[in-house]
């Protein structure tokens, strides 16, 4: 076991659970809300934006196989998540699991990484939301000047005001309470699921099998490159586990929420990508930020195109809500453990939410979405997700060895085979990502190491726990 001064010191499961007593977050969520949170985060940008980009530039019609490969990879990892989330129902997701399983430095690395991941993802998605809402408003005769719907340096932009405003509203909602946020998310998820199902029903009759030929225009390797790009969409089920501390019956409800949301979303992604590339030749989606609406308008279903745009706004809104929620909970957990200033671990006495973490995440995402062209930085979220998945899979194996005595309400089957396969698949997807993405990841990690050794290691609550013994 690592000494209390070691960067590999682990936090005991008992200590992790003890810190949630009395001053933890309010428990208001059940299995249904968790499943809807997962669907809320997973179905959105993936279907309404990324499908077209991935089909046109990476995979072609074989995008269906990209989603299948992503779904299989996530299935292996989801079983690991389910075991740890039921066993350690504490906010923080992969960060928390890594702290108990692998040690403080690994927990810090993944927690630091996940903060950037969620914040950049939220900012990128908010820019997508802005694009859809501006198009809808202009179609309705309300013209918003380019200066107020683009970042500086882009089409004469000064500020992307719609992106900033939607994030301001979401931040206010998350401060008010998780219960209210979950109710809004449920409504948005129902609307977007209805729109996705409508697209499937209407679009399937317009599929031309000839559009699937050639099936592998970018070769078999394109399937994996496409999978690496669309993996952005699967960040959502990590967000389910960030809510662990706010679940009424985490041992039962967390595994249900994780596995059910993943299964539902993967099936819908595969069907939608198949119909999409069957309706319109894949090359036509190049540079198109609204592929589902474009496919419907291309076959003469104008009303369907407008309806999909409304569904996309609802869909992307729920992604923003859940991913912003996830970022606040990870920041809260890092701060509660002393690795970042503990002021961000304060819980509002009335609302039971981490108010200062929520405000900080809100400000960061508003600044990024309003004033920065996200560009390739959005791809950064993929490598972060994959790194988190690797840490979670490894933690399952380590804890099986170190803590076989702990009750596991849900057990990942076939350990170590399932976690090892999950790790191998994730490593291959990381290998398939662009070099720029890997470079940004390394720079962010270097900044993280400076903060940890300059501040986090000395202020870690682990120091005080050891002194109290």
């Amino acid at each position: 076991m690592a000494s209390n001064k070691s960067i590999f010191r682990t936090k005991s499961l008992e200590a992790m659970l003890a810190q949630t007593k009395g001053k933890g977050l309010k428990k208001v969520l059940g299995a249904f809300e968790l499943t809807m949170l997962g669907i809320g985060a997973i179905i959105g940008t993936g279907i309404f934006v990324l499908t077209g980009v991935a089909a046109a530039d990476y995979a072609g019609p074989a995008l269906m196989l990209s989603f299948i490969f992503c779904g299989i990879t996530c299935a292996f990892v989801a079983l690991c998540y389910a075991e740890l989330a039921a066993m350690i129902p504490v906010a923080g997701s992969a960060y928390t699991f890594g702290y108990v399983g692998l040690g403080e430095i690994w927990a810090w690395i993944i927690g630091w990484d996940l903060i950037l991941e969620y914040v950049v993802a939220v900012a990128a998605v908010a820019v997508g939301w802005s694009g859809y809402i501006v198009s809808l408003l202009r179609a309705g005769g309300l013209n918003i000047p380019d200066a107020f719907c683009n970042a500086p340096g882009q089409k004469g932009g000064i500020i992307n005001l719609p992106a900033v405003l939607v994030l301001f509203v979401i931040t206010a909602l998350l401060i008010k309470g998780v219960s209210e946020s979950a109710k809004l998310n449920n409504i948005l998820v129902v609307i977007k699921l209805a729109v996705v199902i409508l697209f499937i029903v209407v679009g399937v009759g317009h599929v031309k099998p000839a559009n699937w030929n050639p099936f592998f225009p970018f070769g078999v390797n394109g399937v994996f490159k496409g999978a690496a790009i669309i993996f952005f969409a699967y960040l959502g089920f990590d967000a389910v586990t960030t809510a662990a501390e706010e679940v009424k019956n985490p041992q039962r409800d967390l595994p249900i929420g994780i596995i059910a949301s993943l299964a539902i979303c993967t099936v819908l992604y595969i069907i939608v990508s198949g119909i999409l590339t069957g309706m319109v030749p894949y090359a036509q989606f190049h540079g198109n930020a609204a592929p589902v609406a474009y496919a419907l308008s291309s076959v003469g279903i104008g009303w369907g195109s407008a309806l999909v745009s409304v569904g996309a706004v609802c869909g992307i809104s729920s992604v923003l809500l859940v991913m912003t929620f996830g970022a606040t909970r990870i920041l809260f957990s890092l701060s509660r453990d002393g690795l970042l200033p503990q002021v961000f671990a304060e819980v509002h006495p009335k609302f039971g939410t981490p108010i200062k973490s929520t405000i900080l995440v809100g400000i960061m995402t508003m600044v990024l979405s309003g004033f920065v062209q996200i560009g390739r930085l959005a791809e950064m979220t993929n490598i972060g997700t994959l790194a988190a998945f690797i840490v979670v899979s490894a933690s399952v194996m380590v804890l099986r060895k170190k803590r076989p005595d702990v009750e596991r309400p849900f057990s990942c089957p076939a350990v170590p085979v399932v976690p090892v396969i999950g790790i191998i698949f994730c490593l291959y997807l990381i290998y398939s990502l662009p070099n720029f993405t890997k470079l940004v990841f390394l720079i962010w990690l270097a900044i993280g190491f400076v903060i940890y050794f300059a501040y986090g290691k000395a202020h870690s609550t682990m120091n005080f726990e050891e002194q109290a013994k």
Side-chain angles (χ1 to χ4, degrees):
M1 186 175 180
S3 74
N4 71 306
K5 299 200 174 174
S6 167
I7 61 173
F8 297 105
R9 56 191 173 183
T10 56
K11 179 165 280 203
S12 74
L13 179 57
E14 291 74 17
M16 192 67 79
L17 294 172
Q19 68 185 0
T20 69
K21 306 296 183 197
K23 56 181 180 179
L25 301 170
K26 192 184 287 186
K27 297 183 184 297
V28 293
L29 304 174
F32 175 75
E33 288 83 7
L34 286 172
T35 303
M36 296 295 267
L37 276 177
I39 295 172
I42 298 171
I43 289 190
T45 318
I47 275 183
F48 295 114
V49 179
L50 290 181
T51 42
V53 173
D57 301 338
Y58 297 98
L63 181 64
M64 288 180 274
L65 299 182
S66 300
F67 276 113
I68 291 171
F69 183 73
C70 283
I72 292 170
T73 301
C74 287
F76 285 111
V77 177
L79 292 168
C80 298
Y81 262 94
E83 174 169 316
L84 295 179
M87 188 170 81
I88 314 169
V90 179
S93 179
Y95 158 74
T96 298
F97 306 151
Y99 212 150
V100 175
L102 302 181
E104 186 170 273
I105 188 66
W106 287 106
W108 166 258
I109 288 170
I110 209 62
W112 177 246
D113 167 45
L114 283 172
I115 287 175
L116 174 73
E117 168 146 353
Y118 275 99
V119 166
V120 173
V122 167
V125 173
V127 172
W129 185 94
S130 173
Y132 266 105
I133 202 76
V134 167
S135 296
L136 276 173
L137 291 173
R138 285 176 176 171
L142 181 61
N143 189 42
I144 298 177
D146 284 344
F148 298 110
C149 56
N150 290 298
Q154 183 180 24
K155 295 182 182 176
I158 298 172
I159 182 174
N160 193 328
L161 198 56
V164 172
L165 290 175
V166 72
L167 289 173
F168 178 82
V169 171
I170 280 169
T171 302
L173 270 169
L174 289 172
I175 289 171
K176 181 72 168 60
V178 178
S179 180
E180 291 80 0
S181 303
K183 285 172 187 171
L184 174 62
N185 180 66
N186 291 347
I187 294 167
L188 295 173
V189 168
V190 168
I191 293 171
K192 73 176 170 184
L193 282 179
V195 169
V196 170
I197 291 165
L198 178 71
F199 169 74
I200 292 169
V201 172
V202 172
V204 72
H206 294 271
V207 168
K208 296 177 182 173
N211 288 332
W212 291 331
N213 186 30
F215 193 71
F216 295 104
F218 299 95
V220 175
N221 195 42
V223 172
F224 300 107
K225 286 191 172 174
I229 296 302
I230 59 173
F231 214 86
F232 176 91
Y234 285 95
L235 176 58
F237 85 83
D238 176 85
V240 174
T241 60
T242 65
E245 204 169 311
E246 290 147 284
V247 180
K248 289 179 276 191
N249 184 0
Q251 287 77 14
R252 180 182 74 91
D253 295 343
L254 279 164
I256 293 172
I258 293 166
I259 295 167
S261 60
L262 177 64
I264 291 166
C265 296
T266 300
V267 169
L268 288 175
Y269 270 138
I270 294 165
I271 294 171
V272 168
S273 59
I275 292 175
L276 206 60
T277 51
M279 289 174 70
V280 179
Y282 72 89
Q284 290 186 24
F285 292 118
H286 180 72
N288 193 310
V292 177
Y294 174 77
L296 287 170
S297 63
S298 295
V299 295
I301 308 174
W303 62 268
S305 175
L307 199 59
V308 161
S309 294
V310 173
V313 169
C314 292
I316 296 172
S317 298
S318 67
V319 173
L320 288 172
L321 185 67
V322 180
M323 291 173 85
T324 306
F325 169 89
T328 64
R329 271 41 182 184
I330 291 163
L331 178 59
F332 166 79
S333 297
L334 283 161
S335 304
R336 183 167 63 181
D337 290 332
L339 300 178
L340 287 173
Q342 289 197 324
V343 65
F344 298 113
E346 291 178 12
V347 176
H348 193 281
K350 180 181 177 184
F351 302 138
T353 56
I355 182 166
K356 291 181 179 173
S357 285
T358 306
I359 290 170
L360 179 60
V361 168
I363 291 169
M364 289 162 66
T365 54
M366 281 185 254
V367 169
L368 274 175
S369 65
F371 299 101
V372 179
Q373 295 179 46
I374 300 300
R376 290 189 297 178
L377 266 180
E379 295 173 1
M380 167 63 193
T381 55
N382 297 345
I383 197 167
T385 304
L386 292 161
F389 287 2
I390 290 168
V391 166
V392 170
S393 300
S395 296
V396 165
M397 294 187 287
V398 171
L399 283 169
R400 284 286 185 99
K401 291 282 186 186
K402 287 171 60 176
R403 295 300 305 269
D405 57 304
V406 177
E407 181 190 354
R408 288 167 170 79
F410 178 90
S411 289
C412 173
V415 174
V417 175
V418 166
V420 167
I421 292 174
I423 290 171
I424 291 169
F425 282 5
C426 288
L427 285 171
Y428 186 76
L429 287 173
I430 287 175
Y431 169 76
S432 301
L433 284 167
N435 289 331
F436 171 81
T437 308
K438 297 166 192 170
L439 179 62
V440 172
F441 181 69
L442 291 174
I443 293 169
W444 182 253
L445 282 184
I447 296 169
F449 278 123
V450 171
I451 292 173
Y452 174 74
F453 287 106
Y455 179 91
K457 189 170 185 291
H459 292 83
S460 169
T461 55
M462 289 287 286
N463 299 325
F464 309 108
E465 286 171 18
E466 290 292 339
Q467 289 170 13
K469 287 183 180 178

